Structure formats: structure tokens, C-alpha cells
């Protein structure tokens, strides 16, 4: 396989009075490399075993079994939350849930509020009315206004501790872009309508640290792959709709290119479609319509 190095160059154009900068990746062949795929498949039952969506779970389970077959290994069960609680890296005596109950909103909340406030003001100045902002974004704002600098610093310290622990205890790097382990994670959850406010006090576990933040906070490469879809009865359209079923592969730090090659070869091996549709569904699905006599 050819190993490519990406370089970034900038060009500008001026459609009006603004100058727009574009980053254009340029790839240069620097040699060849035979990838060594991981021989350890990390599987976290606490995050992946969810029976609320049986149709999605069946597709995820089939994906994991096929990945075991491709790698020639059996999954290694690692319960991230239980191991963190046992290891107690921050020496606080807290469980994983207690430790990270507010981490994400303390890190992300202030920046989101600052951006939305500035953008909303510009919108109002231009159009003379307030923009529509969905409740999913407004949920954390009451807490953002009460956050202290000390709390924000503490959240970053928690993230730093998680990053070091995950990179050394869960997915350590072998160096030179090699990862002896890869983590497979389910990337599909029960429906969560974004036009609804969360009930106070907004203290559910996934609000502070959801599994989808793990790779980002640990600063590890992650690929999210759409492998199918599942049907559900929408309370909005009041018909049968479809949501994507996806999985993620997380590698050790620096294993980005290996992870891409692994995904490419495995998807070819498993016959997983690499392209999704543009529109309401990722893959072909039957249309459902309300009966002619429907009414509110």
C-alpha cells in the first residue's frame, strides 16, 4: 500500500469584498507500507448492549461477529465505566458517572452559548426578529449562566485525566501508526426528538458524558460507519420513518491511516455498502403515506 502524506496549501478568492481562505489537501507518495491490523477487539457491553432497538442491535451484532471473523480474534470485554471506577485515576473515590456528570456541558456549554448569542444578535439586527433555536440547544443554557471558571477548569482536568487513562489503559499506541487493539462501539440510540426541552434538572448520565464523546475527549481517531437502518413510528410525520444504524471504530493515537485501511478492507470483505443515499434514508426504504381521510 502506498503511504500518503497530506500537506495543506491555501488559496483565496474574492466573490465580493470578503476574502475566503480554502484549505486544499495535497497528497504526496512517500513510500509503501504493509498494514498490521489489530489483534485485539475491545468491546464495551455497557455502551453496546442495548435491547431497546432490537432491529438495530441485530445489525450491530452481525457487524461485530463479521469483524471478529475478519481479524481472526474474539472480542475482549472491557467495561469502560467499571474499569475507570476501579482504577480511580483521579483518586477522588467517585464512580465514572459521578466523576463525569457535568464534564461535557462544562467544556462545551460556554462556547456554544457565546457563539449562539453572537449569531442571534446579528440575525436580529439584520431581520428584526429572533431566530428559531431548537430546545436541544437551549437545554444547557440555564446552567451555562451559572458556571464558574473553577468548574470549567475542573472539567478540563477531568478530560485530561480521561485522555491519559484511555490512551494508556484502554487503547495504548504501539507507535509508528500501529494499534494492537481497536474498539468497536454502537453508534445508534433510542429516538431523542430535538424539538423538546429536557425536564429539569437535566442530570441524566448521558448529558454529562455520552459514549459518543469518548474518542473526542481521548483525542483518538474514530470512524463512524453507517451499516443499515431501522424503522420507527414518528410522532412528527405520524408515519413510518427510518433512522440510520451506525457503528464506530476507535483506534490508538496516531493510527488514523491504519483505521481507514482496516475499514476499507473489512467493508469489502463483509459486503458493506460504502455509499449512502442523499435524502431521508441512508438506504432504499418503502414510502409510507397517511390515509386520505387523515386529520388532526
Amino acid at each position: 500500500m502506498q503511504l500518503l502524506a497530506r500537506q495543506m496549501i491555501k488559496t483565496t478568492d474574492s466573490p465580493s469584498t470578503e476574502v475566503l481562505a480554502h484549505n486544499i489537501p495535497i497528497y504526496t507518495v512517500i513510500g509503501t507500507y504493509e498494514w498490521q491490523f489489530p489483534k485485539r477487539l475491545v468491546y464495551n457491553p455497557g455502551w453496546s448492549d442495548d435491547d431497546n432497538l432490537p432491529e438495530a442491535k441485530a445489525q450491530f451484532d452481525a457487524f461485530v461477529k463479521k469483524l471478529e471473523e475478519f481479524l481472526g480474534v474474539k472480542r475482549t470485554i472491557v467495561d469502560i465505566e467499571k474499569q475507570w471506577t476501579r482504577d480511580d485515576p483521579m483518586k477522588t473515590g467517585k464512580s465514572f458517572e459521578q466523576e463525569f456528570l457535568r464534564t461535557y456541558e462544562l467544556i462545551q456549554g460556554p462556547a456554544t452559548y457565546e457563539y449562539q448569542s453572537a449569531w442571534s444578535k446579528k440575525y436580529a439586527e439584520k431581520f428584526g426578529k429572533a431566530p428559531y433555536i431548537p430546545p436541544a440547544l437551549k437545554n444547557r443554557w440555564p446552567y451555562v449562566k451559572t458556571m464558574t471558571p473553577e468548574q470549567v477548569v475542573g472539567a478540563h482536568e477531568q478530560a485530561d485525566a480521561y485522555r491519559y487513562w484511555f490512551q494508556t489503559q484502554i487503547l495504548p499506541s504501539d507507535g509508528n501508526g500501529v494499534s494492537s487493539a481497536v474498539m468497536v462501539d454502537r453508534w445508534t440510540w433510542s429516538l431523542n426528538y430535538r424539538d423538546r426541552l429536557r425536564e429539569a434538572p437535566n442530570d441524566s448520565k448521558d448529558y454529562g458524558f455520552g459514549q459518543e464523546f469518548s474518542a473526542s475527549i481521548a483525542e483518538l481517531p474514530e470512524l463512524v460507519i453507517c451499516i443499515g437502518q431501522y424503522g420507527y413510528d414518528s410522532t412528527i410525520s405520524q408515519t413510518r420513518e427510518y433512522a440510520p444504524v451506525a457503528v464506530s471504530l476507535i483506534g490508538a493515537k496516531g493510527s488514523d491511516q491504519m483505521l481507514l485501511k482496516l475499514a476499507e478492507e473489512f467493508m469489502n470483505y463483509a459486503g458493506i455498502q460504502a455509499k449512502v443515499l442523499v435524502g431521508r434514508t441512508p438506504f432504499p426504504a418503502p414510502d409510507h403515506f397517511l390515509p386520505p381521510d387523515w386529520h388532526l
Side-chain angles (χ1 to χ4, degrees):
M1 175 187 174
Q2 291 181 327
L3 185 62
L4 306 178
R6 188 171 76 168
Q7 302 172 334
M8 304 301 292
I9 65 173
K10 286 190 175 182
T11 64
T12 60
D13 59 66
S14 302
S16 58
T17 56
E18 289 186 307
V19 177
L20 306 178
H22 302 281
N23 290 325
I24 301 178
I26 303 298
Y27 293 89
T28 306
V29 178
I30 61 175
T32 61
Y33 188 84
E34 294 297 328
W35 293 111
Q36 298 177 0
F37 291 145
K39 290 302 180 183
R40 186 168 181 260
L41 181 62
V42 177
Y43 179 93
N44 182 11
W47 290 351
S48 295
D49 288 349
D50 184 355
D51 295 326
N52 292 329
L53 298 172
E55 190 177 354
K57 185 178 187 302
Q59 295 177 60
F60 174 73
D61 290 344
F63 178 95
V64 176
K65 290 178 181 178
K66 202 70 176 179
L67 184 57
E68 289 178 319
E69 179 184 296
F70 176 77
L71 294 174
V73 301
K74 292 295 183 182
R75 72 195 73 179
T76 299
I77 304 299
V78 179
D79 192 307
I80 302 296
E81 298 188 15
K82 289 183 179 179
Q83 183 167 332
W84 170 277
T85 302
R86 287 195 303 269
D87 294 349
D88 192 14
M90 299 192 73
K91 307 304 177 186
T92 61
K94 296 180 179 179
S95 68
F96 183 95
E97 181 175 348
Q98 292 170 333
E99 192 72 69
F100 295 106
L101 189 62
R102 289 280 179 261
T103 303
Y104 176 71
E105 67 177 2
L106 284 165
I107 291 176
Q108 197 258 6
T112 300
Y113 182 73
E114 180 179 355
Y115 168 79
Q116 291 291 347
S117 296
W119 175 83
S120 298
K121 181 174 177 57
K122 290 181 180 179
Y123 183 96
E125 290 173 351
K126 183 172 183 178
F127 298 103
K129 61 182 70 175
Y132 172 75
I133 299 176
L137 293 177
K138 294 180 179 179
N139 282 326
R140 64 177 61 92
W141 288 359
Y143 295 96
V144 169
K145 297 175 182 179
T146 64
M147 291 175 183
T148 66
E150 292 76 18
Q151 288 177 313
V152 174
V153 169
H156 282 279
E157 291 174 349
Q158 291 170 327
D160 290 341
Y162 183 83
R163 182 180 309 114
Y164 177 80
W165 175 80
F166 204 97
Q167 289 186 10
T168 56
Q169 302 302 314
I170 306 301
L171 290 178
S173 173
D174 296 346
N176 299 319
V178 177
S179 178
S180 60
V182 63
M183 182 174 176
V184 60
D185 191 16
R186 178 172 165 178
W187 199 258
T188 304
W189 301 275
S190 300
L191 296 178
N192 181 16
Y193 288 95
R194 296 179 63 83
D195 62 340
R196 299 175 184 173
L197 281 170
R198 298 173 66 109
E199 295 183 3
N202 281 350
D203 59 357
S204 66
K205 182 174 75 171
D206 64 340
Y207 198 61
F209 191 98
Q211 68 191 75
E212 67 271 26
F213 311 136
S214 189
S216 298
I217 292 182
E219 294 184 356
L220 299 179
E222 178 177 38
L223 285 179
V224 178
I225 304 169
C226 184
I227 62 172
Q229 58 197 14
Y230 71 93
Y232 67 95
D233 295 320
S234 171
T235 62
I236 305 299
S237 69
Q238 299 191 32
T239 62
R240 191 72 172 168
E241 302 286 358
Y242 295 87
V245 175
V247 301
S248 80
L249 298 175
I250 305 174
K253 192 173 183 64
S255 66
D256 308 53
Q257 294 186 56
M258 181 280 295
L259 205 60
L260 286 168
K261 187 60 178 176
L262 169 62
E264 178 187 18
E265 292 196 9
F266 170 66
M267 290 174 73
N268 288 333
Y269 173 84
I272 297 174
Q273 187 171 329
K275 295 182 179 180
V276 296
L277 299 176
V278 176
R280 295 170 60 189
T281 63
F283 302 106
D287 285 324
H288 297 274
F289 300 99
L290 292 170
D293 60 349
W294 176 88
H295 58 85
L296 288 175

